[in-house]
């Protein structure tokens, strides 16, 4: 199988694509292929990885024009997995000569500055956590708080977010507005707002309603389609908007 | 050059917890080779132990831990761990971790191997994920300073104490020195010495290797935990929680074979015992395709699987193409946890003044010869806090570090890396890594013999010789992962040698260390910790007493 991999030595933009021939066996993932390239063909290829089991969020990238986790993407199943997304430039502009039938196209996650090859600067994505102060300010106490299974269920989806950034990279609003906080941070705000154990929950909702937050969202729902953990940030944002306007 | 009161190397649960403890009063920086949320702790599935139910007690938890350890754990350390357990869990709950709940709103607990009570608190099968995200949020709240994607390359000594570290800024390729009065190593385990491992690819034991090179001994390295149930093919972990929820192990004759090995505990016997049972089934021809057995969850029903084991179901579907609601899961034992690590006491102190170790990188030792599931997340949080306090106390009187040794060390590392990058002909590091992992998988596994261990030692030493001429190929300075992975390989080769030496010298079977040629536990000679010390290029083995206590050393049966 041929891999057409975006390269950028000094960052900012994709400078060219390199073509590699990889021996693909059943069960092999895109991450496995990238390691084969780095190990035996081109040690200069840079990409992030850690858990190889779809839990750490390191390996978010654009594969065949869909944001995915490389470690969870089976190469032989790529042809059958179609994901329909609302297009924007990074998802539509294909490199010359790419043949989707016979080649896997691997590019950096859109909407974040490219640092090198498949590595993007995640700072704008993570900075939102700090901006919105997405943490609990604990109260003194020595007992665990109670929470019924039903209350726990309210936040179940949202606590599963691995902060991989796939949603951020799939979002046409993030593509256009550098300042937009993005789906993951807003879903996380909603997670805290819905957590019945916390007393000052209102602040998370107010933070999410900042002008560069939920109001910018067009409810395109690309984020819901690409999320590897079924977090469905779009649903949370819809509710944030509703809570804000009532 | 940077200067801090304390440097924490590693941003998993243990490193973050130390940093939170220090951040209020001291200038502390956390260096991590990956973003903190990509640390291996995020992958922990099954849960965290604490005696919190009515009839349970810390004594019972302590006894189970000591017995599980095959009496090699230091009982004073176990006492601290188990007494502080509820506090650690509650603290994290109050920070916001979304534990699974019982009907009446309490933190739910599930049964785990080798435990007398269901005392494993969990957040579905994503406990590590929930704890790590929460702990990271608290570290952000405390304004901890992070150096993400910085690879620590060496420890700097300053006479008889620590003076700082050197580190590679992966983004730029530059080497920097960090002067610090105290350094805490929290770099996690070294599972990637093996090929078949449940560990993240970044678990390469760098912290242990640089400590060894700085003259600090490693302890109990031969005790490598093989988890009984890893997914056939990718070695991704299938949590013990799956058996805790009632999963069966079946051989190809559809027989629940655990009845032959641990008739009382069955699938919930401790890990070493279940791992050996599976290996035995396979070796005696009762495995599927001569390689694996089945973990059957189907009788649990779709609802329970979806509620309690959603991550497992996801893993099976994405990495093996099967749905455990409808099909049994093919599993086999794989490397899982490093019981051994940097020799330190209950405060995390090492023989080098100002150098501390915590978490999986450390060997305090609470797990002895075999760790119980759910005890290591606990270790990270309990001792993260306590080691943080010990460092705080040390800093009250510790002298300022000097700049000169740090600068010199940075200079030396720069030279060393240049040298490494200059080779333009030679073997690729990947080839050597494959050989190392193959040797460890095949010859230093669940069952061991003198002959195999001697061969393994010879082969690892040959690989080390060949490493001297390794060639990385052309790359750029920026984000040079070929270089990072080569440095990791060099670290792992020292650890592989330590594991084998420890295993060869320990002529007995205890916990996870099983010698076919010495099938009995030998308390007379080996109720002791192994220490491995490296001086120049030679490794030496010595022993140190176990701290015994109220639990009498007995035969271990389940
Ligand atoms: C799949 C799996 C599931 C598990 N499930 C459970 C469970 O359910 N319950 C339980 O109790 N235990 C479990 N464990 C064990 C437990 O997860 C680990 O022991 C624990 O998380 C280790 O935490 P740590 O803080 O010591 O290290 P880690 O979380 O591994 O963090 C290590 C840190 O060190 C950094 N680092 C490493 N080298 C360098 C370097 N050279 N320079 C700079 N930084 C460096 C890394 O970037 C990382 O931030 C599981 C383990 C595995 C493999
Ligand atoms: S919401 Fe989903 S896609 Fe977005 S960061 Fe979280 S896990 Fe990734
Ligand atoms: S490597 Fe962790 S999500 Fe892919």
């Amino acid at each position: 199988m041929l891999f057409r991999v975006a390269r950028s030595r000094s960052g900012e933009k994709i400078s060219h694509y390199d073509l590699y021939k990889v021996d693909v066996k059943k069960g092999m993932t895109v991450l496995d292929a990238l390691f084969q390239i780095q190990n035996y063909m081109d040690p200069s290829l840079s990409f992030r990885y850690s858990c190889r089991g779809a839990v750490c969020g390191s390996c978010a990238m654009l594969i065949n024009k869909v944001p995915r986790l490389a470690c969870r993407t089976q190469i032989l199943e790529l042809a059958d997995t179609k994901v329909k997304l609302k297009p924007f430039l990074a998802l539509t502009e294909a490199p010359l000569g790419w043949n989707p039938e016979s080649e896997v196209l691997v590019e950096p996650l859109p909407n974040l500055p490219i640092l090198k090859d498949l590595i993007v600067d995640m700072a704008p994505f993570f900075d939102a956590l700090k901006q919105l102060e997405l943490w609990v300010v604990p109260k003194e106490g020595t007992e665990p708080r109670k929470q019924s299974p039903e209350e726990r269920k309210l936040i179940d989806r949202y606590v599963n977010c691995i902060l991989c950034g796939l949603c951020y990279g799939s979002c046409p609003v993030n593509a256009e507005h550098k300042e937009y906080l993005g789906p993951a941070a807003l879903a996380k705000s909603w997670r805290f707002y819905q957590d019945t154990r916390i007393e000052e929950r209102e602040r998370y909702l107010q933070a999410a309603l900042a002008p560069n937050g939920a109001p910018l969202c067009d409810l395109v729902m690309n984020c819901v389609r690409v999320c590897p953990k079924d977090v469905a940030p779009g649903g949370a944002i819809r509710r944030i908007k509703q809570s804000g306007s009532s | 050059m940077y200067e801090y009161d304390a440097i924490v190397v590693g941003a998993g649960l243990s490193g973050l917890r130390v940093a939170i403890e220090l951040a209020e009063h001291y200038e502390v920086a956390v260096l991590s080779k990956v973003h903190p949320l990509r640390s291996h702790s995020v992958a922990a599935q099954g849960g965290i132990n604490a005696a919190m139910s009515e009839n349970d007690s810390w004594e019972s938890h302590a006894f189970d831990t000591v017995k599980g350890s095959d009496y090699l754990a230091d009982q004073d350390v176990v006492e601290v761990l188990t007494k502080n357990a509820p506090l650690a869990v509650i603290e994290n709950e109050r920070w916001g971790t979304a534990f699974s709940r019982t009907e009446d709103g309490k933190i739910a607990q599930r049964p785990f191997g080798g435990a007398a009570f269901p005392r494993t608190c969990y957040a579905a099968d994503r406990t590590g994920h929930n704890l790590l995200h929460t702990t990271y949020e608290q570290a952000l709240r405390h304004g901890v300073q992070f150096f993400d994607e910085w690879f620590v390359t060496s420890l700097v000594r300053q006479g008889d104490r620590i003076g700082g570290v050197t580190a590679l800024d992966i983004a730029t390729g530059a080497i920097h020195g960090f002067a610090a009065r105290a350094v805490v190593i929290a770099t996690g385990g070294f599972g990637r010495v093996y090929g078949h491992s449940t560990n993240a690819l970044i678990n390469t034991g760098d912290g242990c290797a640089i400590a060894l090179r700085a003259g600090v001994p490693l302890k109990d390295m031969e005790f490598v935990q093989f988890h009984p149930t890893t997914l056939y093919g990718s070695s991704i972990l299938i949590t013990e929680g799956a058996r805790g929820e009632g999963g069966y192990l079946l051989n190809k004759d559809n027989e629940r074979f655990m009845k032959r090995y641990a008739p009382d505990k069955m699938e919930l016997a401790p890990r070493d015992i279940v791992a050996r049972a599976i290996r035995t089934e396979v070796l005696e021809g009762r495995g599927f395709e001569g390689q694996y057995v089945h973990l059957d969850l189907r009788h649990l029903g779709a609802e329970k699987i979806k509620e309690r084991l959603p991550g497992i179901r996801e893993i099976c579907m994405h990495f093996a193409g099967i749905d455990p609601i409808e099909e049994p899961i093919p599993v086999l034992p794989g490397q899982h946890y490093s019981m051994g690590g940097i020799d330190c006491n209950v405060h995390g102190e090492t023989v080098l003044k100002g150098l501390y170790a915590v978490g999986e990188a450390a060997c305090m030792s609470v797990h002895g010869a075999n760790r119980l599931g759910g005890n290591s997340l606990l270790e990270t949080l309990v001792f993260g806090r306590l080691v943080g306090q010990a460092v705080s106390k040390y800093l009250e009187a510790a002298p300022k570090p000097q700049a000169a040794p740090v600068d010199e060390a940075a200079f030396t590392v720069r030279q060393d890396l240049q040298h490494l990058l200059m080779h333009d002909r030679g073997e690729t590091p990947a080839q050597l890594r494959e050989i190392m992992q193959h040797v460890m998988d095949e010859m230093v596994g669940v069952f061991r013999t003198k002959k195999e261990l001697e061969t393994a030692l010879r082969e690892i030493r040959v690989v080390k010789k060949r490493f001297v001429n390794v060639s990385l190929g052309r790359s750029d300075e920026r984000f040079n992962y070929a270089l990072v992975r080569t440095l990791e390989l060099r670290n792992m080769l020292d650890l592989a040698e330590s594991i084998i030496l420890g295993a060869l010298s320990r002529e007995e079977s205890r916990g996870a260390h099983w010698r076919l040629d010495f099938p009995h536990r030998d308390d007379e000679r080996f109720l002791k910790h192994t220490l491995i010390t490296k001086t120049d290029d030679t490794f030496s083995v010595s022993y140190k007493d176990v701290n015994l206590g109220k639990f009498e050393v007995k035969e271990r049966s389940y």
Side-chain angles (χ1 to χ4, degrees), chain A residues 9 48 56 143 145 188, chain B residues 38 93 137 149 476:
Chain A
R9 186 161 177 248
R48 289 194 179 105
C56 78
E143 289 296 312
R145 291 161 301 181
K188 204 169 158 79
Chain B
R38 315 314 183 203
E93 195 282 329
E137 286 155 19
E149 306 193 322
D476 321 309

Side-chain angles (χ1 to χ4, degrees), chain A residues 31 49-59 69-72 162:
Chain A
L31 188 67
Y49 56 87
S50 172
C51 72
R52 68 79 176 82
V55 285
C56 78
S58 300
C59 63
L69 297 177
C71 70
R72 206 185 80 169
I162 57 174

Side-chain angles (χ1 to χ4, degrees), chain B residues 48-73:
Chain B
I48 175 167
N49 296 342
M52 310 222 294
S53 59
E54 241 153 67
N55 301 317
D56 204 356
S57 65
W58 74 262
E59 287 93 343
S60 170
H61 185 183
F63 172 70
D64 290 341
T65 303
V66 170
K67 181 180 175 190
S69 82
D70 221 344
Y71 296 91
L72 198 74

Side-chain angles (χ1 to χ4, degrees), chain B residues 9-15 31-34 39-41 43-47 150-152 186-188 198-199 203 206 237 336-337 359-360 371 374-377 380:
Chain B
V9 188
L13 276 170
S14 56
L31 275 64
S32 168
K33 66 179 173 181
V34 293
S39 298
H40 174 64
S41 291
Q45 300 173 352
W150 284 61
F151 184 94
V152 172
T187 49
T198 60
N199 285 198
N203 278 22
D206 306 324
L237 180 73
H336 181 58
Y337 185 82
E360 196 172 338
R371 169 182 77 97
N375 264 357
S376 63
L377 287 177
T380 63

Side-chain angles (χ1 to χ4, degrees), chain A residues 125 161-167 184 227-229 231 233:
Chain A
F125 174 76
C161 170
I162 57 174
L163 292 175
C164 61
L166 285 180
C167 52
C227 176
K229 297 285 151 184
V231 177

Side-chain angles (χ1 to χ4, degrees), chain A:
Chain A
M1 182 87 79
L2 289 178
F3 277 71
R4 193 176 287 265
V5 183
R7 303 302 303 266
S8 175
R9 186 161 177 248
S10 48
E12 285 184 50
K13 57 180 197 303
I14 296 171
S15 54
H16 64 286
Y17 289 80
D18 276 331
L19 209 51
Y20 304 98
K21 194 166 171 220
V22 177
D23 266 338
V24 175
K25 296 196 185 71
K26 190 171 176 288
M28 232 174 105
T29 65
V30 170
L31 188 67
D32 292 330
L34 293 175
F35 274 123
Q36 232 187 72
I37 295 170
Q38 193 191 60
N39 283 342
Y40 295 110
M41 293 172 235
D42 189 345
S44 74
L45 180 66
S46 303
F47 53 92
R48 289 194 179 105
Y49 56 87
S50 172
C51 72
R52 68 79 176 82
V55 285
C56 78
S58 300
C59 63
M61 51 187 82
L62 193 63
I63 299 166
N64 282 3
K65 290 296 174 189
V66 177
R68 311 179 207 241
L69 297 177
C71 70
R72 206 185 80 169
T73 305
Q74 294 280 330
I75 300 167
L76 294 177
E77 286 162 25
L78 255 176
D80 314 324
T81 45
K82 295 271 179 294
V83 184
K84 253 193 107 48
L85 297 176
K86 170 162 182 199
F88 55 94
L89 202 59
L91 303 189
T92 49
E93 203 183 42
L96 225 57
W98 173 47
N99 177 354
E101 306 297 306
S102 60
E103 285 175 10
V104 179
L105 179 65
V106 186
E107 299 168 289
L109 191 68
N111 300 343
L112 290 156
I114 300 173
L115 295 175
K116 188 189 165 198
D117 297 346
L118 303 172
I119 297 183
V120 295
D121 183 1
M122 297 289 288
F125 174 76
F126 283 121
D127 282 349
L129 306 182
K130 278 187 257 178
Q131 268 184 55
L132 300 176
E133 302 189 9
L134 294 180
W135 48 69
V136 172
V137 180
K139 288 254 165 2
E140 289 294 319
T142 52
E143 289 296 312
R145 291 161 301 181
K146 294 234 167 157
Q147 185 185 35
S148 70
E150 294 69 43
E151 292 168 330
R152 167 70 175 70
K153 258 209 186 83
L154 289 177
I155 56 173
D156 196 43
R157 289 203 108 109
Y158 310 111
V159 297
N160 288 337
C161 170
I162 57 174
L163 292 175
C164 61
L166 285 180
C167 52
Y168 195 102
S170 76
C171 175
V173 181
N174 276 124
E176 223 166 283
H177 300 275
K178 291 274 155 284
E179 73 282 11
Y180 176 46
L181 294 165
L186 295 174
K188 204 169 158 79
S189 315
W190 183 252
R191 168 244 181 279
F192 285 117
Y193 179 62
Q194 290 290 9
D195 192 331
T196 50
R197 295 172 296 173
I198 306 173
E199 280 163 36
E200 288 109 23
R201 287 154 47 207
E202 195 59 28
R203 85 159 163 92
Y204 302 101
L205 180 65
Q206 290 315 318
L209 286 166
N212 62 338
L216 276 185
C217 171
D218 285 339
L219 296 174
V220 167
M221 300 294 164
N222 275 7
C223 54
V224 178
R225 289 176 204 118
V226 299
C227 176
K229 297 285 151 184
D230 280 331
V231 177
I237 301 174
R238 189 200 302 272
R239 296 205 208 149
I240 293 172
K241 282 169 171 283
Q242 286 162 356
S243 309
S245 59
S246 65

